[in-house]
Amino acid sequence: MGLISKLEAAAVEQSLGKSTIQCYSFWARKFYAHNGKPALQWTGEDVRAWLLHLADQNYSPVSRKQALNAVVFVFKRVLKKDLGQLDLPPMPKVRHTLRVIPSRDEL
């Protein structure tokens, strides 16, 4: 049973949605492609290096948080390993803007 099928089984067990499972599978594949090591040899330092690489590649903060959540899920629920302290730089804050809806008079 491969890593992705184990991830999917663990995600179904946790009652995660279909789109979340697809998203976590996507990021797990990207992490493997960047790392190149078998999943059992992954370490917290590999995760830290990958997240710094994503920051260097100008991935949005939201995408980097998704990637981090996916990899943390793989470590905790699939590999049953502890990531340890990642010592990541703080993520930039995501600005939430309010939509301005004009009134009828303004139209």
Side-chain angles (χ1 to χ4, degrees):
M1 188 175 211
L3 179 74
I4 299 300
S5 48
K6 287 180 184 177
L7 183 150
E8 290 171 351
V12 167
E13 184 179 300
Q14 293 293 314
S15 301
L16 298 182
K18 185 177 180 181
S19 62
T20 303
I21 295 170
Q22 290 172 341
C23 177
Y24 282 12
S25 298
F26 169 79
W27 285 115
R29 286 184 181 101
K30 293 271 282 188
F31 180 65
Y32 175 76
H34 177 265
N35 195 3
K37 292 191 225 175
L40 292 176
Q41 295 177 5
W42 292 352
T43 64
E45 189 55 39
D46 296 329
V47 175
R48 181 182 185 283
W50 182 57
L51 289 171
L52 292 174
H53 170 76
L54 293 180
D56 291 342
Q57 296 295 313
N58 294 323
Y59 278 79
S60 74
V62 173
S63 295
R64 294 192 327 243
K65 286 179 187 178
Q66 261 186 359
L68 176 61
N69 288 333
V71 172
V72 166
F73 182 84
V74 169
F75 268 79
K76 281 186 175 180
R77 305 287 180 188
V78 180
L79 300 176
K80 310 229 186 299
K81 290 173 70 174
D82 184 26
L83 267 173
Q85 200 66 12
L86 290 179
D87 191 33
L88 294 171
M91 296 268 189
K93 299 224 187 279
V94 178
R95 292 186 182 189
H96 297 284
T97 57
L98 294 175
R99 293 183 183 187
V100 178
I101 301 172
S103 66
R104 288 185 180 266
D105 296 336
E106 293 174 329
L107 293 175

